[in-house]
Amino acid sequence: MKVEALLFGGVAAFFGAAAALYGVWSRADPAGTAALIVAFGMAALVSFFCAVSYVRHGPRPQDRKEAEVAESAGPVEFFPPHSSWPIVTALGFALAATGVVFGLWLFLIGFGVLARGVAGMVFQYVNRGVGQGE
């Protein structure tokens, strides 16, 4: 993840410099400056995640020049077989978007369903591997 952290760090630095220059040169367009600042934030967030992953897990075989291809063999990661939480999340978003048109009461119900769906997706497999020796 070290290479990815450096790559996205470079992208973040580019967007940060572009936002600063654009903000100075185009005083009449705050929307463009805001968009560049958001792009900087997103790239910086990915760079930070990759850097923290590299510090926690150490170098991967892809990060070392002397690594063999066979070192990266094996299971990649856990992929959930099925989940109903994306449907709940989509329903919550649809209700919240409809609530923008029809009233605050429907928006609040939709936001509650949306929050429950997102929490369900985040915490669905939080206890996976506990007690199984992983």
Side-chain angles (χ1 to χ4, degrees), residues 51-58:
V52 168
S53 294
Y54 179 75
V55 169
R56 283 186 183 170
H57 302 292

Side-chain angles (χ1 to χ4, degrees), residues 39-50:
F40 162 76
M42 290 189 295
L45 180 68
V46 173
S47 176
F48 177 73
F49 171 77
C50 290

Side-chain angles (χ1 to χ4, degrees), residues 19-95:
L21 290 174
Y22 190 81
V24 170
W25 287 340
S26 70
R27 298 173 192 195
D29 185 24
T33 306
L36 287 170
I37 289 171
V38 168
F40 162 76
M42 290 189 295
L45 180 68
V46 173
S47 176
F48 177 73
F49 171 77
C50 290
V52 168
S53 294
Y54 179 75
V55 169
R56 283 186 183 170
H57 302 292
R60 302 172 299 173
Q62 294 90 340
D63 295 331
R64 295 182 286 126
K65 293 184 186 282
E66 70 278 354
E68 296 292 327
V69 174
E71 290 183 46
S72 62
V76 178
E77 189 56 52
F78 169 74
F79 298 102
H82 62 279
S83 176
S84 60
W85 292 114
I87 297 169
V88 175
T89 304
L91 176 67
F93 181 77
L95 284 173

